[in-house]
Amino acid sequence: MSKVRVHNFAVSLDGFGAGADQSLEAPFGHADGRLMQWFMRTPTFRSMQGQPGGDSGVDEEFAGSWAEGIGAEIMGRNKFGPERGPWANSEWKGWWDDDPPFHTPVFVLTHHPRESLEMNGGTTFHFIDASPAEALAKAREAAPGSDIRIGGGVETVREFLAADLIDHLHVVVVPIVLGRGERLWDGLEGLEERFDIEAVSSPSGVTHVTFTRRA
Amino acid sequence: MSKVRVHNFAVSLDGFGAGADQSLEAPFGHADGRLMQWFMRTPTFRSMQGQPGGDSGVDEEFAGSWAEGIGAEIMGRNKFGPERGPWANSEWKGWWDDDPPFHTPVFVLTHHPRESLEMNGGTTFHFIDASPAEALAKAREAAPGSDIRIGGGVETVREFLAADLIDHLHVVVVPIVLGRGERLWDGLEGLEERFDIEAVSSPSGVTHVTFTRRA
């Protein structure tokens, strides 16, 4: 059976996966880039930007495993863009310009379905109004036998965890206190009982915590 | 100048330093022993119980440094006991029976001062109604030149952090989701800006995060 995976999902010490006040200018809200600094130094991130270089090490070992074996992604609408409600700006094609880094079908969860968007490099955005289980069924249909990545944002990951649909969760605990924003862990009391958990700290100061669902 | 230190302070992934519903039967509330399992396996903890053995390793390296150089402790009333309001049970002498592990003066913060309690082994409990800064001045007077430990609970550590009185903070991130209880990080947004921070994970699954105040 293909697995459902979350990778490179950063949270603060106080459990926020995104800051408050997301906007076009601030995709992470008041958190700015603070949750993702460890990631921006990796070759994995730099190659997404068409840039060479980056630091090898623990962070890259984790960052680099996000794509292998993945056949489709599911993301929440807030990861796709800052707009809420009915689509007014039909020119918006995601935060990634013409060449998004996914290279697979991507299912965007929204209460306002619209036509699919075919991008360069094999990424196609499909906009669906679906429960986590329904979205997962669609993603598996689009990518038979492959793993499915849940790409975020916070609410999407939390809903898939609550529905017990995640097999592998990679959380990166960043030693900052954000104070406000979206909490990943709300409503997930006792989550640890369903998973084997390992923690690996990195010289960058972050800790990679992996949750592997018990058989 | 003597330092103000916090050691072995465990928090869940969602930032709770204690569970809900503390009582005589459940000093950690619904968290039971889950926040302190890593600690209970250490020789440091076992020797407090008069028991030999325990596991060496990363957890013991951190656990064992709680006492060296410490001349007094400050703790909140909830660490001393489960009772609230005026003291009705004058027989209560703390969770530790006749021989508490502190071996120094211990200042218990309470709105209901009472006579000091002299215990075996050099521990004396003093009950004072004081702000963090006032309590610290009293502790330093009682232990000139020595470091002062802030022993918890959650509210006490948070108040000393908010007052910027902590020089060294050792937090142990335990990979569990408690869901409810007392949050350590509330009101401390941006705390990381005042500290140098390191993270060290342990085979037990916990991560030791140390905050060292910037000069």
Side-chain angles (χ1 to χ4, degrees):
Chain A
M1 184 70 162
S2 79
K3 293 201 182 309
V4 181
R5 295 156 40 190
V6 176
H7 289 270
N8 301 329
F9 194 87
V11 297
S12 63
L13 280 172
D14 44 348
F16 293 103
D21 308 323
Q22 188 197 38
S23 69
L24 183 58
E25 295 73 31
F28 289 93
H30 87 291
D32 299 321
R34 286 182 285 165
L35 284 172
M36 298 309 280
Q37 278 174 12
W38 67 275
F39 186 59
M40 290 186 255
R41 287 187 290 256
T42 62
T44 292
F45 175 78
R46 294 180 61 86
S47 72
M48 288 179 190
Q49 311 291 307
Q51 296 179 329
D55 300 335
S56 60
V58 176
D59 292 339
E60 173 58 19
E61 291 300 319
F62 281 91
S65 64
W66 77 296
E68 177 151 358
I70 295 288
E73 168 157 328
I74 298 169
M75 66 169 64
R77 179 172 174 183
N78 297 2
K79 180 172 171 183
F80 180 74
E83 208 182 3
R84 307 288 185 265
W87 300 93
N89 178 2
S90 59
E91 297 301 301
W92 180 263
K93 293 178 176 176
W95 299 103
W96 307 275
D97 294 327
D98 286 341
D99 196 5
F102 307 107
H103 313 301
T104 68
V106 174
F107 293 86
V108 180
L109 299 173
T110 169
H111 297 305
H112 303 275
R114 54 184 270 197
E115 282 200 11
S116 296
L117 268 178
E118 195 173 337
M119 310 294 289
N120 295 333
T123 300
T124 302
F125 292 110
H126 302 288
F127 302 86
I128 61 173
D129 187 2
S131 71
E134 290 163 356
L136 186 54
K138 273 190 201 291
R140 284 197 155 126
E141 199 178 316
S146 293
D147 288 356
I148 308 299
R149 184 175 51 238
I150 309 303
V154 183
E155 186 183 350
T156 301
V157 172
R158 192 174 55 229
E159 285 177 356
F160 275 79
L161 284 169
D164 196 18
L165 293 173
I166 305 286
D167 298 297
H168 174 87
L169 169 66
H170 167 223
V171 165
V172 184
V173 179
V174 181
I176 61 175
V177 179
L178 279 180
R180 53 213 160 92
E182 282 189 80
R183 291 190 193 273
L184 175 61
W185 307 111
D186 275 9
L188 298 176
E189 180 178 341
L191 181 71
E192 68 277 5
E193 292 163 18
R194 297 194 255 128
F195 293 90
D196 293 320
I197 302 175
E198 293 185 299
V200 178
S201 51
S202 155
S204 69
V206 307
T207 300
H208 300 273
V209 184
T210 55
F211 294 67
T212 305
R213 186 149 57 161
R214 295 198 176 126
Chain B
M1 185 70 161
S2 79
K3 292 200 184 308
V4 181
R5 295 156 41 188
V6 176
H7 289 270
N8 301 329
F9 194 86
V11 297
S12 63
L13 280 172
D14 45 349
F16 293 103
D21 309 323
Q22 188 197 38
S23 69
L24 184 59
E25 295 72 32
F28 289 93
H30 87 291
D32 298 322
R34 286 181 286 164
L35 284 171
M36 298 311 279
Q37 277 174 12
W38 67 275
F39 186 59
M40 291 187 255
R41 287 187 290 257
T42 61
T44 292
F45 175 79
R46 294 180 61 85
S47 72
M48 288 179 189
Q49 312 290 308
Q51 296 179 330
D55 300 335
S56 61
V58 177
D59 292 338
E60 173 57 20
E61 291 300 320
F62 281 91
S65 63
W66 77 295
E68 176 151 359
I70 295 287
E73 168 157 327
I74 298 168
M75 66 170 64
R77 180 173 173 182
N78 297 2
K79 180 172 171 183
F80 180 74
E83 207 182 3
R84 307 290 184 264
W87 300 94
N89 178 2
S90 58
E91 298 301 301
W92 179 262
K93 294 178 176 179
W95 300 103
W96 306 274
D97 293 327
D98 285 341
D99 195 6
F102 307 107
H103 313 301
T104 68
V106 173
F107 293 86
V108 180
L109 299 173
T110 169
H111 297 306
H112 303 276
R114 55 184 269 198
E115 282 201 11
S116 296
L117 269 178
E118 196 173 336
M119 309 294 289
N120 295 333
T123 300
T124 302
F125 291 110
H126 302 288
F127 301 87
I128 61 173
D129 187 1
S131 71
E134 290 164 355
L136 186 54
K138 273 190 201 290
R140 284 196 155 127
E141 199 179 315
S146 293
D147 288 356
I148 308 299
R149 184 176 51 238
I150 309 304
V154 183
E155 185 183 350
T156 301
V157 172
R158 191 173 57 229
E159 284 177 356
F160 275 80
L161 284 170
D164 197 18
L165 292 172
I166 305 285
D167 298 297
H168 173 87
L169 169 65
H170 167 224
V171 165
V172 185
V173 179
V174 180
I176 61 176
V177 179
L178 279 180
R180 54 213 160 91
E182 282 189 80
R183 291 190 193 273
L184 175 61
W185 306 112
D186 275 9
L188 298 176
E189 179 178 340
L191 181 71
E192 68 278 4
E193 292 163 18
R194 298 193 255 129
F195 292 90
D196 293 319
I197 301 175
E198 293 185 299
V200 178
S201 51
S202 156
S204 69
V206 307
T207 299
H208 301 272
V209 185
T210 55
F211 294 66
T212 305
R213 184 147 61 159
R214 294 197 176 126

